[in-house]
Short mmCIF file of all heavy atoms in Angstrom, two decimals:
data_model
loop_
_atom_site.label_atom_id
_atom_site.label_comp_id
_atom_site.label_asym_id
_atom_site.label_seq_id
_atom_site.Cartn_x
_atom_site.Cartn_y
_atom_site.Cartn_z
N PHE A 1 1.73 12.78 -2.24
CA PHE A 1 2.86 11.98 -2.69
C PHE A 1 3.54 12.67 -3.87
O PHE A 1 2.91 12.97 -4.87
CB PHE A 1 2.40 10.58 -3.10
CG PHE A 1 1.83 9.76 -1.99
CD1 PHE A 1 0.73 8.94 -2.21
CD2 PHE A 1 2.37 9.81 -0.72
CE1 PHE A 1 0.19 8.18 -1.17
CE2 PHE A 1 1.84 9.06 0.32
CZ PHE A 1 0.75 8.24 0.10
N GLU A 2 4.84 12.87 -3.75
CA GLU A 2 5.58 13.60 -4.76
C GLU A 2 6.15 12.70 -5.86
O GLU A 2 6.46 13.17 -6.94
CB GLU A 2 6.72 14.40 -4.11
CG GLU A 2 6.22 15.49 -3.17
CD GLU A 2 7.36 16.31 -2.60
OE1 GLU A 2 8.54 16.02 -2.94
OE2 GLU A 2 7.09 17.24 -1.82
N THR A 3 6.29 11.42 -5.58
CA THR A 3 6.92 10.51 -6.54
C THR A 3 6.09 9.25 -6.71
O THR A 3 5.30 8.86 -5.83
CB THR A 3 8.33 10.11 -6.07
OG1 THR A 3 8.22 9.30 -4.89
CG2 THR A 3 9.19 11.33 -5.79
N LEU A 4 6.31 8.56 -7.84
CA LEU A 4 5.67 7.28 -8.06
C LEU A 4 6.13 6.24 -7.04
O LEU A 4 5.36 5.36 -6.65
CB LEU A 4 5.97 6.78 -9.48
CG LEU A 4 5.05 7.28 -10.59
CD1 LEU A 4 5.54 6.76 -11.94
CD2 LEU A 4 3.62 6.84 -10.34
N TYR A 5 7.37 6.35 -6.61
CA TYR A 5 7.86 5.40 -5.61
C TYR A 5 7.03 5.51 -4.33
O TYR A 5 6.67 4.49 -3.72
CB TYR A 5 9.33 5.66 -5.30
CG TYR A 5 9.92 4.65 -4.35
CD1 TYR A 5 10.48 3.46 -4.82
CD2 TYR A 5 9.88 4.86 -2.97
CE1 TYR A 5 10.99 2.52 -3.94
CE2 TYR A 5 10.39 3.92 -2.08
CZ TYR A 5 10.94 2.75 -2.58
OH TYR A 5 11.45 1.81 -1.70
N GLU A 6 6.70 6.72 -3.91
CA GLU A 6 5.88 6.89 -2.71
C GLU A 6 4.50 6.27 -2.89
O GLU A 6 3.95 5.68 -1.96
CB GLU A 6 5.74 8.38 -2.37
CG GLU A 6 7.00 9.06 -1.90
CD GLU A 6 6.77 10.54 -1.65
OE1 GLU A 6 6.23 10.88 -0.58
OE2 GLU A 6 7.09 11.36 -2.53
N VAL A 7 3.93 6.41 -4.09
CA VAL A 7 2.61 5.82 -4.36
C VAL A 7 2.68 4.30 -4.25
O VAL A 7 1.85 3.67 -3.58
CB VAL A 7 2.11 6.24 -5.76
CG1 VAL A 7 0.80 5.53 -6.08
CG2 VAL A 7 1.92 7.75 -5.83
N VAL A 8 3.68 3.70 -4.91
CA VAL A 8 3.82 2.25 -4.87
C VAL A 8 4.07 1.77 -3.44
O VAL A 8 3.50 0.77 -2.98
CB VAL A 8 4.96 1.80 -5.81
CG1 VAL A 8 5.28 0.32 -5.60
CG2 VAL A 8 4.59 2.08 -7.26
N GLU A 9 4.89 2.49 -2.71
CA GLU A 9 5.20 2.09 -1.33
C GLU A 9 3.96 2.19 -0.44
O GLU A 9 3.79 1.38 0.49
CB GLU A 9 6.33 2.95 -0.77
CG GLU A 9 6.87 2.51 0.57
CD GLU A 9 7.44 1.09 0.55
OE1 GLU A 9 7.71 0.54 -0.53
OE2 GLU A 9 7.61 0.53 1.64
N HIS A 10 3.10 3.16 -0.72
CA HIS A 10 1.84 3.24 0.05
C HIS A 10 1.04 1.95 -0.10
O HIS A 10 0.60 1.36 0.90
CB HIS A 10 1.00 4.43 -0.43
CG HIS A 10 -0.44 4.33 -0.02
ND1 HIS A 10 -0.85 4.46 1.29
CD2 HIS A 10 -1.57 4.06 -0.75
CE1 HIS A 10 -2.16 4.30 1.37
NE2 HIS A 10 -2.62 4.07 0.15
N TYR A 11 0.84 1.50 -1.33
CA TYR A 11 0.05 0.28 -1.54
C TYR A 11 0.79 -0.96 -1.07
O TYR A 11 0.17 -1.97 -0.72
CB TYR A 11 -0.33 0.16 -3.02
CG TYR A 11 -1.35 1.19 -3.43
CD1 TYR A 11 -1.00 2.23 -4.29
CD2 TYR A 11 -2.66 1.15 -2.95
CE1 TYR A 11 -1.92 3.20 -4.66
CE2 TYR A 11 -3.58 2.11 -3.32
CZ TYR A 11 -3.21 3.13 -4.17
OH TYR A 11 -4.13 4.09 -4.51
N ASN A 12 2.10 -0.89 -1.03
CA ASN A 12 2.88 -2.06 -0.61
C ASN A 12 2.78 -2.30 0.89
O ASN A 12 2.58 -3.43 1.33
CB ASN A 12 4.34 -1.85 -1.01
CG ASN A 12 5.16 -3.12 -0.92
OD1 ASN A 12 4.66 -4.21 -1.17
ND2 ASN A 12 6.43 -2.98 -0.58
N TRP A 13 2.89 -1.20 1.69
CA TRP A 13 2.96 -1.39 3.14
C TRP A 13 2.13 -0.42 3.97
O TRP A 13 1.98 -0.63 5.18
CB TRP A 13 4.41 -1.25 3.62
CG TRP A 13 5.32 -2.37 3.23
CD1 TRP A 13 6.42 -2.30 2.43
CD2 TRP A 13 5.21 -3.75 3.63
NE1 TRP A 13 7.00 -3.53 2.28
CE2 TRP A 13 6.28 -4.45 3.02
CE3 TRP A 13 4.31 -4.46 4.42
CZ2 TRP A 13 6.48 -5.82 3.19
CZ3 TRP A 13 4.52 -5.82 4.58
CH2 TRP A 13 5.58 -6.48 3.98
N SER A 14 1.57 0.64 3.39
CA SER A 14 1.05 1.74 4.22
C SER A 14 -0.46 1.96 4.12
O SER A 14 -0.96 3.00 4.52
CB SER A 14 1.77 3.04 3.85
OG SER A 14 3.16 2.91 4.00
N VAL A 15 -1.20 1.01 3.55
CA VAL A 15 -2.65 1.17 3.45
C VAL A 15 -3.26 1.14 4.85
O VAL A 15 -3.06 0.18 5.60
CB VAL A 15 -3.27 0.07 2.57
CG1 VAL A 15 -4.80 0.18 2.56
CG2 VAL A 15 -2.73 0.17 1.14
N LYS A 16 -4.01 2.18 5.21
CA LYS A 16 -4.62 2.27 6.54
C LYS A 16 -5.99 1.57 6.54
O LYS A 16 -6.67 1.53 5.52
CB LYS A 16 -4.76 3.74 6.95
CG LYS A 16 -3.42 4.46 7.10
CD LYS A 16 -3.63 5.91 7.51
CE LYS A 16 -2.30 6.61 7.78
NZ LYS A 16 -1.45 6.68 6.58
N PRO A 17 -6.41 1.08 7.67
CA PRO A 17 -7.65 0.29 7.74
C PRO A 17 -8.92 1.14 7.74
O PRO A 17 -9.66 1.19 8.74
CB PRO A 17 -7.49 -0.48 9.04
CG PRO A 17 -6.65 0.41 9.90
CD PRO A 17 -5.68 1.08 8.96
N HIS A 18 -9.19 1.79 6.64
CA HIS A 18 -10.42 2.58 6.51
C HIS A 18 -11.61 1.63 6.39
O HIS A 18 -11.51 0.58 5.74
CB HIS A 18 -10.33 3.47 5.27
CG HIS A 18 -11.40 4.51 5.19
ND1 HIS A 18 -12.69 4.23 4.81
CD2 HIS A 18 -11.36 5.84 5.44
CE1 HIS A 18 -13.40 5.33 4.83
NE2 HIS A 18 -12.62 6.33 5.21
N PRO A 19 -12.76 1.94 7.00
CA PRO A 19 -13.91 1.01 6.95
C PRO A 19 -14.46 0.76 5.56
O PRO A 19 -15.14 -0.25 5.33
CB PRO A 19 -14.95 1.70 7.84
CG PRO A 19 -14.53 3.13 7.94
CD PRO A 19 -13.04 3.11 7.85
N ASN A 20 -14.19 1.65 4.60
CA ASN A 20 -14.73 1.48 3.25
C ASN A 20 -13.72 0.95 2.25
O ASN A 20 -13.94 1.05 1.04
CB ASN A 20 -15.32 2.81 2.75
CG ASN A 20 -16.61 3.18 3.46
OD1 ASN A 20 -17.32 2.31 3.95
ND2 ASN A 20 -16.89 4.47 3.56
N LEU A 21 -12.63 0.37 2.72
CA LEU A 21 -11.65 -0.21 1.81
C LEU A 21 -12.28 -1.32 0.98
O LEU A 21 -13.11 -2.09 1.47
CB LEU A 21 -10.47 -0.81 2.59
CG LEU A 21 -9.46 0.15 3.20
CD1 LEU A 21 -8.42 -0.65 3.97
CD2 LEU A 21 -8.79 1.00 2.14
N GLY A 22 -11.84 -1.44 -0.29
CA GLY A 22 -12.24 -2.56 -1.12
C GLY A 22 -11.51 -3.82 -0.73
O GLY A 22 -10.57 -3.81 0.09
N GLY A 23 -11.92 -4.95 -1.33
CA GLY A 23 -11.38 -6.25 -0.95
C GLY A 23 -9.88 -6.36 -1.06
O GLY A 23 -9.20 -6.78 -0.11
N SER A 24 -9.30 -6.01 -2.20
CA SER A 24 -7.86 -6.13 -2.40
C SER A 24 -7.10 -5.23 -1.44
O SER A 24 -6.06 -5.62 -0.87
CB SER A 24 -7.48 -5.78 -3.84
OG SER A 24 -8.03 -6.71 -4.75
N LEU A 25 -7.61 -4.03 -1.22
CA LEU A 25 -6.93 -3.09 -0.33
C LEU A 25 -7.10 -3.49 1.13
O LEU A 25 -6.24 -3.20 1.96
CB LEU A 25 -7.45 -1.67 -0.57
CG LEU A 25 -7.08 -1.04 -1.91
CD1 LEU A 25 -7.70 0.33 -2.06
CD2 LEU A 25 -5.56 -0.95 -2.06
N ARG A 26 -8.18 -4.18 1.44
CA ARG A 26 -8.36 -4.65 2.81
C ARG A 26 -7.28 -5.66 3.16
O ARG A 26 -6.73 -5.66 4.27
CB ARG A 26 -9.76 -5.26 2.96
CG ARG A 26 -10.20 -5.43 4.41
CD ARG A 26 -11.68 -5.80 4.52
NE ARG A 26 -12.53 -4.69 4.08
CZ ARG A 26 -13.44 -4.79 3.11
NH1 ARG A 26 -13.60 -5.93 2.47
NH2 ARG A 26 -14.18 -3.76 2.79
N VAL A 27 -6.95 -6.53 2.21
CA VAL A 27 -5.85 -7.49 2.43
C VAL A 27 -4.53 -6.74 2.59
O VAL A 27 -3.72 -7.04 3.47
CB VAL A 27 -5.77 -8.48 1.26
CG1 VAL A 27 -4.54 -9.35 1.38
CG2 VAL A 27 -7.03 -9.34 1.20
N ALA A 28 -4.32 -5.72 1.74
CA ALA A 28 -3.07 -4.94 1.80
C ALA A 28 -2.93 -4.21 3.13
O ALA A 28 -1.81 -4.03 3.63
CB ALA A 28 -3.01 -3.95 0.64
N SER A 29 -4.05 -3.79 3.71
CA SER A 29 -3.98 -3.04 4.97
C SER A 29 -3.58 -3.92 6.14
O SER A 29 -3.06 -3.43 7.14
CB SER A 29 -5.33 -2.37 5.26
OG SER A 29 -6.31 -3.33 5.64
N THR A 30 -3.80 -5.22 6.04
CA THR A 30 -3.45 -6.12 7.14
C THR A 30 -2.12 -6.83 6.92
O THR A 30 -1.31 -6.94 7.84
CB THR A 30 -4.56 -7.18 7.33
OG1 THR A 30 -4.77 -7.87 6.09
CG2 THR A 30 -5.86 -6.52 7.76
N ASP A 31 -1.88 -7.28 5.72
CA ASP A 31 -0.68 -8.08 5.46
C ASP A 31 0.35 -7.39 4.57
O ASP A 31 1.49 -7.86 4.46
CB ASP A 31 -1.07 -9.41 4.80
CG ASP A 31 -2.01 -10.23 5.66
OD1 ASP A 31 -1.89 -10.15 6.90
OD2 ASP A 31 -2.87 -10.92 5.10
N GLY A 32 -0.04 -6.29 3.92
CA GLY A 32 0.85 -5.68 2.94
C GLY A 32 0.95 -6.54 1.69
O GLY A 32 0.44 -7.66 1.64
N LEU A 33 1.58 -6.03 0.67
CA LEU A 33 1.76 -6.78 -0.57
C LEU A 33 3.13 -7.43 -0.65
O LEU A 33 3.34 -8.35 -1.44
CB LEU A 33 1.58 -5.84 -1.78
CG LEU A 33 0.18 -5.24 -1.93
CD1 LEU A 33 0.15 -4.28 -3.13
CD2 LEU A 33 -0.88 -6.32 -2.09
N ALA A 34 4.06 -6.94 0.14
CA ALA A 34 5.40 -7.53 0.23
C ALA A 34 6.10 -7.58 -1.13
O ALA A 34 6.76 -8.57 -1.46
CB ALA A 34 5.34 -8.92 0.85
N ILE A 35 5.95 -6.53 -1.91
CA ILE A 35 6.66 -6.45 -3.19
C ILE A 35 8.11 -6.07 -2.91
O ILE A 35 8.39 -5.07 -2.24
CB ILE A 35 6.01 -5.40 -4.11
CG1 ILE A 35 4.54 -5.75 -4.36
CG2 ILE A 35 6.76 -5.31 -5.43
CD1 ILE A 35 3.79 -4.68 -5.14
N ARG A 36 9.02 -6.85 -3.41
CA ARG A 36 10.43 -6.58 -3.15
C ARG A 36 10.90 -5.36 -3.93
O ARG A 36 10.27 -4.93 -4.89
CB ARG A 36 11.28 -7.80 -3.47
CG ARG A 36 11.20 -8.25 -4.91
CD ARG A 36 11.94 -9.55 -5.12
NE ARG A 36 11.89 -9.96 -6.52
CZ ARG A 36 12.43 -11.08 -6.97
NH1 ARG A 36 13.07 -11.89 -6.14
NH2 ARG A 36 12.35 -11.39 -8.26
N GLU A 37 12.06 -4.85 -3.54
CA GLU A 37 12.53 -3.56 -4.08
C GLU A 37 12.71 -3.60 -5.59
O GLU A 37 12.31 -2.66 -6.30
CB GLU A 37 13.84 -3.18 -3.40
CG GLU A 37 14.18 -1.69 -3.48
CD GLU A 37 13.23 -0.83 -2.65
OE1 GLU A 37 12.59 -1.35 -1.71
OE2 GLU A 37 13.13 0.37 -2.96
N THR A 38 13.31 -4.66 -6.11
CA THR A 38 13.53 -4.72 -7.56
C THR A 38 12.21 -4.77 -8.32
O THR A 38 12.11 -4.22 -9.43
CB THR A 38 14.38 -5.96 -7.92
OG1 THR A 38 13.75 -7.14 -7.41
CG2 THR A 38 15.79 -5.83 -7.38
#
């Protein structure tokens, strides 16, 4: 990831369902965080 925006966008919508995900990230991998652009 070249920018902070890419990092934030990964956690917002792009977390992949790895078997060792932690609890918060497991939720993000299924439903996303739905953080709006602003």
Side-chain angles (χ1 to χ4, degrees):
F1 296 141
E2 295 183 0
T3 67
L4 275 176
Y5 184 88
E6 291 178 80
V7 175
V8 171
E9 188 60 16
H10 162 69
Y11 290 110
N12 194 34
W13 289 117
S14 303
V15 175
K16 296 180 175 63
H18 192 283
N20 289 334
L21 286 178
S24 295
L25 291 178
R26 196 170 292 123
V27 173
S29 72
T30 56
D31 301 327
L33 296 177
I35 302 174
R36 60 186 181 182
E37 201 69 22
T38 55

